[in-house]
Amino acid sequence: ATSSIGQSESAADVTSPSFPARVRWARYIYLVVAWVFVACVVVQVFSAGSAIFVDSSRWELHTSFVRVFEPMGLLLFVAALFARFGLRHTLLTLCLPLLAGLQYLFIDLGRSSGFSAEFAALHPINALLIFVLALHLGQFAWRKTRELDPAPA
C-alpha cells in the first residue's frame, strides 16, 4: 500500500482505525456529490425531454441548469485525489468534466456551417455516457465508503 494521493490502498489499510480522516472525509464528500451529480443528470435529461415534447420554452431550463452542476465534476476529481481511489477511478472521475465539455462541442459543431448537423446528434449519446459513468462512480463510491465502516464480524 502506498500513501501518495491517487494510489490504491490494501483492504487492511482501509479498515484500519489509523485511516486518515482527510481520506474518510474525501470519500464521504465524493459519495454525496456523485449521487447528487447522477440526480442532476436525470433532471437535465428530463428538462430536454420536456422542452422537446411539452414546451420549447423549457430549453432555457436545460441550458441554464447544466451550469449549476457541471462544476461538481471537478469537485469529484479533487475529492477522488484525496479519497485514494486509485489511478483508474481518479481518471474515470476526470472523464466527467471532459465529457461535459464535449456536450458543448457537439452542439456547437452541429450548428457550425462548416460541420455536419449530425455532430449535434452525438449530444444525447454523450449524455448517456455521462449518466452511465456517473452511476458507476456513485456505486463505486458507495462500496469504498462502506469499507470505511466494516460490519462487525
Side-chain angles (χ1 to χ4, degrees):
T2 70
S3 62
S4 62
I5 292 176
Q7 297 297 315
S8 295
E9 307 251 336
S10 70
D13 290 336
V14 172
T15 58
S16 166
S18 64
F19 204 59
R22 68 180 168 79
V23 173
R24 296 174 68 87
W25 276 104
R27 288 187 180 191
Y28 287 122
I29 289 168
Y30 188 100
L31 175 67
V32 170
V33 174
W35 285 109
V36 169
F37 190 92
V38 169
C40 287
V41 171
V42 170
V43 169
Q44 184 69 354
V45 171
F46 177 81
S47 71
S50 180
I52 292 169
F53 297 112
V54 178
D55 183 359
S56 63
S57 68
R58 295 182 180 181
W59 279 118
E60 178 59 32
L61 173 62
H62 182 74
T63 58
S64 61
F65 182 66
V66 69
R67 287 167 178 61
V68 171
F69 75 92
E70 67 186 351
M72 289 182 202
L74 291 175
L75 177 60
L76 283 170
F77 176 66
V78 172
L81 291 173
F82 287 99
R84 296 184 184 166
F85 283 154
L87 184 61
R88 179 175 179 249
H89 277 87
T90 300
L91 291 177
L92 280 174
T93 302
L94 182 59
C95 288
L96 283 177
L98 296 176
L99 289 171
L102 281 177
Q103 288 294 80
Y104 295 104
L105 180 67
F106 292 143
I107 291 298
D108 290 343
L109 289 178
R111 291 180 181 163
S112 288
S113 60
F115 290 93
S116 171
E118 276 74 25
F119 276 106
L122 295 173
H123 184 85
I125 294 169
N126 193 50
L128 286 171
L129 290 174
I130 291 169
F131 177 74
V132 169
L133 178 58
L135 193 61
H136 167 74
L137 293 172
Q139 292 170 336
F140 173 79
W142 176 255
R143 286 190 305 273
K144 295 305 270 185
T145 303
R146 289 187 67 200
E147 288 177 1
L148 294 173
D149 301 311

